[in-house]
Amino acid sequence: MSYVPPSAQQQTSVGPTLICLNPFHHVPSPVVLQDCHQAGHQLQGLVNTALSQHIDSGHSQLIVLSGESGSGKTHCTMHILRLLYERSGGGTKTDMFRHLMAAMTVLRALASAETTCNTDSTRIGMYLENLTSDCMIYRTKIHGLFVDQGRVTYVPRREKNYHIFYQMLAGLSDEERVKLHLKGYSLHNLRYLSCGNLQQNVTDDMHRFDVWKSSLSVLGIPVMDILRVLAAILLLGNVEFVESPGMELEVVGNDEIKSVAALLGVSGVSLYRGFTTRTRHVHGHVSRSITDARSANSTRDALARALYYRTVSTVMKRVNSIRRQVSNLAQSMESLESKGSRNSAQYSHRPDILTTNPGDSSSTIQHGRKFSDGFVGIMDLFGFELAEVNQLEQLCVNLCAEAMQNFYNSHMFRSPLEALHEEGIQPEIDIVHFNNMPVIELLSSQTNGIVSILDTLTAQPKTTVETFVQEIKARHMINNYFFEPLPKVERLFGIRHFSGRVVYDASNFLSTNQDQVPDDIVSIFSKQNCNFGFASHLFAREVKTMSDNGQGPRGTRYRILPTNHHDTGKSDEDCRGSLCYDFQLRLDSLLKSVVNAKPHFIRCVRSNDHGEMDSFSPETVIQQIRSLQILETVRLMAGGMPHRMRYKVFNVRYCLFLPPAAQLPLQSPQEECRTILTSFLRAMDNSMLPYVSTQWTLGKKHLFYSEGTRQSLEGMRQERLHDAAAKIQACWRGSKVRRVWPEVRARLRTRKSSEKRLRHRSSYSSSSASSTQHLLEEEYRPHRGDRSQPHRGDQSRPHRGDHSQPHRADHSQPHRVDHSQSHRGDHSQPHRRDHSQPHRGDHSQPHRGDHSQSHSGPPQSNKIDHQHHNRDHYLHGMDHQGINHHLHNVDHPSRKMDHEKHKVDQQTSRFERRQVEKVDEWVLQQICSMYSINQDSRPPVPSRRNYLVYGGMRLEFPHYRIMKHNFAADSQGLVLMKGQEVKVVGVSQQKGYVRINYCNTILHVPHDFLDFKIFDVRPTTTEEIGALGKCYGETTSKTAANGTCTPTPYVGTEITAIFTQIGTR
């Protein structure tokens, strides 16, 4: 064992074929399709290819998954289904997808079981048909292929029955157990479950059962109706008939048979008579007799299987025909007390997709669509299986696996080779692959195939298993693919399948293949005898047939699961009651329905045989690679020509490689194809795509080409389509901007004039307030003779500046006042008249004035200092009277206002005003209206500046710059080259860095690595340039083959060059 590679390396492509490795990491979620979020890139590419081909050609597409049991086919199917809905189904939030999730959740519990090689093995083959109209999915139909019917009544050793039984026993409440007559029952005392593996995760099963019930309610199916049938099946296993001395058979489990009768809505006597009585119709006479215990027990098991598989079929029928939203869980739970046949009406007129004629108008849901529109199918059928004891179910499963392998061989190997021979072309390499057609003929030949022999002997009443084995050995002993195992045992035979040798035990082949239920037990579900509508609906067709005859049971045997009689043209009585016959009929019908679809193959491989996580068994993987013929596929893709296309189709798809001057009408389709290929070679030499070997051959009707040619053609075609789309978008955006530019320019000029008027009004209001303040100071200035006492705390040290005279210092020189020392005047202490607040002239707080310049002068006397404090105290009192706000004592040079900015009078500049200037009401309203501001609410604080300043100009984001140096982003692996133009979208959180959007990736680049690009521009103002940039928005960029992004230039004559120092496009 070795370690499994990470998920990114668990998928690979071999041409159009995808190889998926199952490392057993996935744990199924209770809700199907909910945890399928991280699909691999190759799987996404395959889905995209299928959808693109469906859109381009209109042909239906088919995704085929194959591999052994446990290789992860169902897991890949769920990923594909989710991807299809994300890309072409309206998304995963639609009601249609939620309905599909609920349907798949219900069916997984009903159709999955644990086997020796897979803990979540799907025992019903699924074909999901996604019907499309205009390449959009509008409906998903689910087809089921039933084969493992014996698991309901008999579980092989170390395996389990279907998941729903274990989940139901773990999740039922005590009240529900009483209603379902399951009080006191568990895995250990129910015979249909106790013969298998008894290990159970009760907590997980309880949660899954709750989800299952919720999903049933989404589908509109009454939960208790289904639970009554499932409970009856479990209790039937505890009913056993034994011989007695009298005429009647004795019942072991009398309480169980009464409970079963109550759950199915029939009387206990009629149920007992249905098991123990046999009706025979011989020579026109009807007779009834008591059967033996073996036949009664066989009828019991047949009824259990019929109830289960008809219930699953009814659920599928309801899923495929639902049209509207359905009731909730509470309403569905009320159906336990449903009485009479009126409840059967909700299940009628819902045709089963497997048993109705596709041409019948009643089976078509009226969506206003046509089925001829196309489909995208997902085929997840049975994979090759090898059990401890291989019985008839394993034979049918391996026959299905052989058919799917032959389907792959036909499309991948035989079909291209036959097309080359038909057009007289000799292939350069001869791919030898395993042809499994002889194995399929051995199993399913209508003349002497093993299945045909089994069907013939099953119809004979006294045939034994030994007779069957001797017959097939006598006919096929000389067949190379048939062998007799050693030591020789009469009931064993072997077949060499494409995946290996398998030994089959034929002990139960005849009984399992009968697949019949007598009409004696079916008749008890008529509307007159059964008051449980759902049970009556399960056998509605058979009951109707007997009621039409008017004589009740006549010894007829019906199928456990009805056959598609519309395909065979036979009635119920004429149809052969055989499991193998019905299985072949359904499989052939399924393969015929997809024969015209374009297949896409996924080959699934399991990493080991034991389901262990993160373990890799080389022997197991090599054996699967050989059986799936992956090596042969690699050789074909490397050296052969597996692809072909008709000339007209090829010319239409790749005509964009033609030169403009080519004379197409004068050339034949073959010559036109040759011209396209020549132009393709020339374009390939000039392209930046990696070199790939190309090879093609021109036939009579088709062009044959290699896988490398296909990849190169598709890659260059996508590149040219992308470039054309980019140019179209650029032209359209430029035309759109040119149409709106006159209106934008007029709006900008109006805004500019409005802002100019607002600035004029603001400057006028400021000058008026300054003059008023000056007048107030002059009016209330104290006289020089006023010798009032100084404040408390006044020191004898005078202030260093001269505050009594006009300033005479030279303002051109910087001031020399040292602000490191605080004043020793009264400004460091609060006033006595207000002890709660500090004085507003307190210089112990940081200054609010402009301290870059101050005056220096000789120190003055204390007389002037006292006079200054009296004046400051007087102005402080004015603030309490409401005349003016308190003014700072600006005698200190640090409170001096900036002379260059304000140019005010030297006398009034001694005081710095803290007054809040009121704005004119009309101006405020105009500003709020212009910028959509609510006057009553506080404006929000901006989170981050969305611009930068360069050269005195405000530059908005985003804009474009030029790389001055090479820059490599180590984490992303991207490289920015010198001289390359990049798009700057904002400032980075890292200091000195900016954020660049490059190839849809955000890179953090130092601003020193960037330079601005200069353009000649036609707009005249910065506002016009910024607005025009906003009108243009982001430019369309194209991605070259080497992964670099280059912006697409705008096309137009009016705007010759776009935008300023910003470099914005």
Side-chain angles (χ1 to χ4, degrees), residues 384 495-502 623 627:
F384 182 80
I495 296 177
R496 293 182 177 90
H497 289 280
F498 76 98
S499 189
R501 297 159 55 101
V502 180
Q623 187 271 333
S627 63

Side-chain angles (χ1 to χ4, degrees), residues 339-607:
K339 303 292 183 181
S341 61
R342 58 184 174 85
N343 293 319
S344 179
Q346 61 180 318
Y347 302 102
S348 61
H349 64 264
R350 302 185 188 278
D352 190 352
I353 204 167
L354 300 174
T355 60
T356 55
N357 186 3
D360 189 2
S361 60
S362 63
S363 64
T364 303
I365 305 302
Q366 299 300 326
H367 290 281
R369 309 289 189 182
K370 296 181 179 180
F371 288 99
S372 60
D373 288 343
F375 64 87
V376 179
I378 307 174
M379 187 174 289
D380 176 22
L381 300 184
F382 302 103
F384 182 80
E385 189 172 274
L386 183 63
E388 291 183 356
V389 179
N390 299 286
Q391 299 180 354
L392 183 61
E393 289 85 356
Q394 278 71 36
L395 180 67
C396 294
V397 166
N398 293 336
L399 174 60
C400 179
E402 292 281 356
M404 298 310 299
Q405 180 66 23
N406 181 65
F407 186 78
Y408 177 80
N409 293 342
S410 176
H411 283 81
M412 191 61 62
F413 300 112
R414 288 199 298 269
S415 182
L417 186 62
E418 292 173 359
L420 286 172
H421 287 311
E422 287 178 0
E423 302 200 13
I425 300 175
Q426 184 66 27
E428 295 184 0
I429 60 173
D430 186 14
I431 304 298
V432 180
H433 67 282
F434 177 76
N435 185 9
N436 65 336
M437 279 300 298
V439 182
I440 297 178
E441 291 292 333
L442 171 65
L443 293 174
S444 60
S445 175
Q446 294 184 357
T447 56
N448 60 350
I450 293 177
V451 174
S452 299
I453 297 173
L454 179 64
D455 290 339
T456 303
L457 296 180
T458 302
Q460 301 176 7
K462 295 184 179 180
T463 304
T464 60
V465 175
E466 290 77 7
T467 304
F468 165 69
V469 176
Q470 291 174 4
E471 182 71 18
I472 62 175
K473 287 182 180 179
R475 294 194 183 187
H476 299 292
M477 186 58 69
I478 60 175
N479 194 314
N480 293 331
Y481 299 97
F482 183 89
F483 68 94
E484 187 175 3
L486 297 176
K488 295 183 179 181
V489 181
E490 293 183 354
R491 298 189 175 189
L492 299 181
F493 66 93
I495 296 177
R496 293 182 177 90
H497 289 280
F498 76 98
S499 189
R501 297 159 55 101
V502 180
V503 177
Y504 293 98
D505 185 358
S507 301
N508 298 325
F509 271 37
L510 293 175
S511 59
T512 304
N513 192 47
Q514 285 181 356
D515 189 38
Q516 295 174 346
V517 56
D519 58 353
D520 297 278
I521 194 66
V522 173
S523 62
I524 69 173
F525 293 100
S526 63
K527 296 181 181 179
Q528 294 79 13
N529 300 327
C530 180
N531 59 9
F532 182 27
F534 183 72
S536 297
H537 170 72
L538 296 180
F539 299 92
R541 178 189 297 179
E542 292 79 3
V543 171
K544 184 178 183 301
T545 302
M546 288 188 293
S547 63
D548 292 341
N549 297 332
Q551 298 180 1
R554 298 176 57 85
T556 306
R557 290 179 176 270
Y558 296 100
R559 295 294 313 281
I560 288 180
L561 185 64
T563 312
N564 192 345
H565 307 306
H566 296 278
D567 295 339
T568 60
K570 299 180 181 180
S571 62
D572 289 330
E573 296 183 2
D574 296 333
C575 184
R576 299 161 62 183
S578 169
L579 173 64
C580 293
Y581 177 80
D582 182 45
F583 179 77
Q584 289 186 89
L585 185 67
R586 293 170 183 267
L587 181 60
D588 293 341
S589 177
L590 185 61
L591 294 178
K592 287 178 182 178
S593 65
V594 298
V595 68
N596 294 323
K598 174 66 172 64
H600 305 266
F601 295 99
I602 299 179
R603 315 291 274 176
C604 299
V605 179
R606 60 181 180 183
S607 57

Side-chain angles (χ1 to χ4, degrees), residues 57 117 169 276 301 309 393 583 837 947:
S57 63
C117 57
L169 292 177
T276 59
D301 293 340
Y309 283 99
E393 289 85 356
F583 179 77
Q837 297 292 336
Y947 65 94

